[in-house]
Amino acid sequence: MPDFLNKVDSLTEQMTPEQLCAFIHESARKLNEQERKQFLAELSTAAGIGGRKQRGHKEKLEDKITACIEGLRLFDDEDETHEQACIYAEYNEKYDEWGYDEDDDEEEEFIYSDNDGVLGVVEDAANLIHRCIDEQEYKAGEELIWRLPEIRVPVSSDYDVDSLNVREMTEMHLVHINYEKLVMESVYLIYMIYPPEERPSKILSLLRRYDWLMKFSIEGFLQSAPSEVPDSEHFLKLLIQSIIENNEIGCQSLILEAYSLLNDADEQLKAAENGVRIYPVMMEKYLKDHLKDTEPDKLLGLCQKALEAIPAGREIRGRIALTAAEIASADPGKQLVPYWIEAFRSDRTMTNFFRLRFSGDWPDIRENVISLCNGGNRNHYYFFLFFTEQFDLLLKKGMHNQQGIGWSSTFMKQGIALFLLWFMPGEIKDLSAEMKAMLSMLYECRIPAEDYYRGTGRHPEKSSDVFPELMTEWKKQQEFTDEFRISMMKKIGKWIRQRVDAIMANNRRNYYEECAAFVAAYGAVREGYEGRGTKQTVLAEYRQLYSRRINFVAGLKRYGYRG
């Protein structure tokens, strides 16, 4: 870039004013509509108009920066040496909150005006930062890059808008600044100003001031730099080290990108090991990238160290445990269940639970798994109680609702559906319409086959929901007494009646179909034990109770009512 600018300067010095004007005119003619505002703003800055003070062409860069910093102090409400500058805001009468289009300037809620021309100094600051890079006067822009993201321009209005920062002004098109470019150029100045060991912490501090930490891309920075960034590989190592040693929060994507850009596998492993407690995402990536080219025992050793270092409650620890299980599955002599237990300890999902529940070691690990079930997602806990046969505790904690409404935030629907599917004779794959409706209510149990078999060494041929298969297996394992079934069916019949009555009393029409499905499923299960015609009797009873509810009756008919 510096060489390019020197050539440009050399050529422009040889041009007459008329030639230069003609070139500018021709360049402007080629601009598209989106580029024209920015071009005019930059041209105005160069000409010294639009509320800016004119200075001579030979004015030194340092003098301009000093003047700009003085101008920025106009927005400082703690500086009593001058009257504070501000912009003005009026409510936009054309604003339509419901039909808002963020790309339409006329639809902004407030109309801002810069009657005193104070915003020119903000644009000047961004242009001067750019000029510091062009002229390689990096140190000259140091104060400017720290001050600019801190300013807040006061807004005078009768509404709840007190001040705006540079990013907000850019997004509202009050200043013609490319915000991302401003951030990248400010980072470049820091990189060139400070010694290597100070660069990471300074850059992180600046990115937080600009509120750009989550959006910053190291690769984008390296590519957008005006010339090759010196010592970039060393910078990546220092950046990773700084984030880890200072326990910097909110840097996961940044540290992972820095790790990925390292060109040395040994350095990547070193970074992954050093940061495994705070940012284990590097270790997770290292394991995935080296599954095929590293000895399994070495990878398992790394997994074990990670599992010991990462706090038990973090989901990524569960993923690393499953990666360890997948590595160990290649050796028939290695146990997989301990890794599955660690996955469930860290991430109490239905998938991780079912992998344990239907393992051949279930009788031996049952108490251990039960001890891990509490905490986390409430509904998952109730599922765990059901599939560990703790029915009394489930009824006490998860199915004690005494009202027929407000079920959507409870376990009542899913609990009833589970018991009805359990009591219904036959396999889950051979379900009637109403029982399929019960199965669909168990949406939290939908488990893709590839997730369920992860860490088992088995790889399904196609992606499918494995829950119906697991539920069928559980039904085969778990027998119930007639006494228990009859007792539970009485409770379920009572709950369904409460539900239907409450829905009808409150005219919740969007639940009529669901109520019809519960009634039909309840009747179908009873028919499996009491004989043919029981389902029709149950449907007819509800048909008679709510004969004037047309949509409800239509639902009963869809589930088999023939009256």
Side-chain angles (χ1 to χ4, degrees):
M1 177 64 80
D3 292 340
F4 168 74
L5 292 174
N6 289 334
K7 292 178 180 178
V8 170
D9 291 341
S10 177
L11 289 170
T12 53
E13 287 174 1
Q14 302 174 35
M15 299 171 70
T16 65
E18 290 78 11
Q19 290 174 322
L20 197 55
C21 287
F23 176 77
I24 294 172
H25 178 86
E26 184 63 20
S27 299
R29 189 179 66 80
K30 298 176 182 178
L31 296 174
N32 61 42
E33 188 172 354
Q34 294 179 338
E35 297 170 325
R36 291 170 189 168
K37 284 186 179 180
Q38 180 70 20
F39 180 81
L40 285 174
E42 293 176 358
L43 191 62
S44 298
T45 301
I49 62 174
R52 300 162 179 77
K53 297 179 180 179
Q54 288 194 359
R55 307 289 292 270
H57 287 295
K58 295 183 179 180
E59 184 176 32
K60 292 183 178 180
L61 177 61
E62 291 83 354
D63 293 340
K64 286 192 173 184
I65 291 175
T66 300
C68 183
I69 291 172
E70 287 299 315
L72 292 176
R73 289 198 177 100
L74 293 173
F75 307 123
D76 189 352
D77 58 357
E78 296 181 0
D79 191 336
E80 299 179 356
T81 61
H82 57 73
E83 183 178 349
Q84 191 178 18
C86 68
I87 59 176
Y88 304 88
E90 297 180 74
Y91 185 75
N92 183 2
E93 299 294 341
K94 296 181 180 180
Y95 177 70
D96 180 5
E97 183 176 359
W98 298 103
Y100 176 69
D101 180 1
E102 63 179 9
D103 296 323
D104 188 343
D105 292 347
E106 294 184 359
E107 291 194 9
E108 293 290 350
E109 185 174 4
F110 297 100
I111 298 175
Y112 295 90
S113 56
D114 181 18
N115 298 339
D116 301 330
V118 298
L119 293 183
V121 70
V122 178
E123 294 179 0
D124 283 346
N127 291 329
L128 285 169
I129 288 174
H130 179 73
R131 185 173 164 185
C132 286
I133 294 174
D134 279 354
E135 300 183 14
Q136 301 182 44
E137 296 289 345
Y138 308 124
K139 188 69 176 177
E142 182 177 11
E143 184 176 353
L144 202 55
I145 59 176
W146 290 112
R147 182 176 289 272
L148 185 57
E150 293 295 305
I151 68 163
R152 295 197 66 90
V153 176
V155 178
S156 175
S157 74
D158 297 328
Y159 306 96
D160 188 23
V161 184
D162 56 356
S163 63
L164 300 172
N165 60 27
V166 176
R167 182 172 182 176
E168 291 166 336
M169 288 186 286
T170 302
E171 291 171 347
M172 294 176 180
H173 309 295
L174 298 179
V175 292
H176 300 294
I177 294 175
N178 183 325
Y179 193 76
E180 182 176 6
K181 177 183 177 184
L182 171 63
V183 175
M184 291 296 191
E185 291 184 335
S186 299
V187 170
Y188 184 77
L189 280 184
I190 283 185
Y191 195 96
M192 302 306 290
I193 291 171
Y194 294 99
E197 61 274 9
E198 293 184 33
R199 287 169 182 166
S201 60
K202 296 290 186 182
I203 289 174
L204 291 174
S205 176
L206 187 77
L207 289 173
R208 287 196 169 95
R209 293 191 185 202
Y210 274 114
D211 190 22
W212 205 255
L213 181 61
M214 303 300 290
K215 292 190 174 184
F216 181 73
S217 164
I218 301 173
E219 188 170 10
F221 164 66
L222 296 176
Q223 291 178 351
S224 66
S227 58
E228 184 175 350
V229 176
D231 302 321
S232 59
E233 185 78 9
H234 184 51
F235 167 70
L236 295 174
K237 298 174 188 176
L238 291 175
L239 178 62
I240 293 171
Q241 179 182 334
S242 177
I243 292 174
I244 294 171
E245 290 181 354
N246 297 313
N247 198 13
E248 298 278 4
I249 61 173
C251 296
Q252 177 163 300
S253 60
L254 189 63
I255 198 171
L256 182 59
E257 185 184 13
Y259 164 90
S260 300
L261 291 174
L262 288 172
N263 293 318
D264 188 328
D266 291 336
E267 288 293 338
Q268 287 184 326
L269 177 56
K270 179 182 176 181
E273 289 183 308
N274 290 340
V276 69
R277 185 182 65 84
I278 304 171
Y279 286 108
V281 65
M282 292 186 291
M283 179 59 75
E284 182 181 36
K285 182 166 176 55
Y286 182 88
L287 293 169
K288 288 181 179 179
D289 291 345
H290 295 276
L291 283 175
K292 296 181 179 180
D293 62 14
T294 305
E295 288 294 324
D297 286 343
K298 178 181 178 180
L299 293 178
L300 284 174
L302 293 173
C303 289
Q304 189 59 43
K305 290 180 180 178
L307 294 175
E308 293 170 358
I310 305 169
R314 297 189 64 179
E315 290 183 15
I316 192 171
R317 183 178 181 275
R319 297 199 300 269
I320 290 176
L322 291 178
T323 298
E326 195 65 34
I327 296 168
S329 68
D331 184 347
K334 294 191 181 299
Q335 294 292 318
L336 306 185
V337 172
Y339 295 117
W340 299 350
I341 291 176
E342 293 309 312
F344 183 62
R345 188 192 307 278
S346 297
D347 192 10
R348 296 181 181 91
T349 64
M350 298 303 300
T351 304
N352 287 340
F353 170 78
F354 280 133
R355 192 184 295 110
L356 290 165
R357 176 60 186 81
F358 294 99
S359 75
D361 296 340
W362 176 246
D364 298 328
I365 63 174
R366 182 178 186 274
E367 295 305 318
N368 189 7
V369 173
I370 287 176
S371 70
L372 300 175
C373 285
N374 208 347
N377 184 291
R378 183 182 60 184
N379 277 357
H380 286 184
Y381 173 59
Y382 297 145
F383 277 114
F384 301 155
L385 291 179
F386 182 88
F387 286 103
T388 54
E389 300 85 44
Q390 301 180 76
F391 304 120
D392 289 341
L393 191 57
L394 171 62
L395 294 174
K396 179 181 178 180
K397 290 192 172 186
M399 300 184 70
H400 53 76
N401 194 296
Q402 299 299 315
Q403 297 179 337
I405 57 175
W407 280 19
S408 296
S409 60
T410 73
F411 193 68
M412 290 299 293
K413 293 181 187 179
Q414 298 190 82
I416 291 173
L418 276 174
F419 279 108
L420 290 176
L421 286 167
W422 181 23
F423 295 149
M424 186 69 190
E427 295 188 4
I428 297 298
K429 65 180 181 180
D430 301 319
L431 295 178
S432 58
E434 61 269 17
M435 300 313 295
K436 287 180 179 177
M438 296 300 100
L439 185 62
S440 69
M441 290 183 187
L442 305 177
Y443 54 88
E444 293 184 78
C445 289
R446 292 171 189 164
I447 302 172
E450 57 267 30
D451 293 344
Y452 178 74
Y453 289 110
R454 187 182 173 201
T456 67
R458 297 172 59 187
H459 303 283
E461 295 180 359
K462 61 179 181 178
S463 178
S464 60
D465 179 9
V466 299
F467 177 70
E469 176 186 338
L470 298 178
M471 185 67 186
T472 298
E473 180 64 24
W474 188 83
K475 290 179 64 171
K476 292 177 181 178
Q477 295 176 3
Q478 191 64 32
E479 297 181 353
F480 51 79
T481 64
D482 287 341
E483 182 182 3
F484 177 77
R485 174 183 56 79
I486 292 170
S487 173
M488 279 304 306
M489 287 299 289
K490 286 181 179 179
K491 289 183 175 67
I492 291 171
K494 179 182 176 181
W495 288 329
I496 291 175
R497 180 61 180 270
Q498 287 178 338
R499 177 66 170 172
V500 174
D501 289 347
I503 292 299
M504 299 304 164
N506 290 274
N507 294 316
R508 303 286 181 84
R509 293 179 178 83
N510 53 319
Y511 290 108
Y512 284 4
E513 182 78 13
E514 178 187 277
C515 286
F518 274 122
V519 171
Y522 170 70
V525 173
R526 282 186 53 184
E527 183 167 296
Y529 299 91
E530 299 175 26
R532 187 173 182 180
T534 307
K535 175 183 173 182
Q536 287 300 314
T537 300
V538 173
L539 293 173
E541 177 186 346
Y542 278 91
R543 163 68 173 79
Q544 185 175 1
L545 282 171
Y546 296 106
S547 59
R548 300 182 64 182
R549 306 292 178 131
I550 298 174
N551 291 337
F552 176 63
V553 174
L556 295 177
K557 290 180 179 179
R558 278 191 289 274
Y559 289 113
Y561 175 60
R562 298 192 298 270

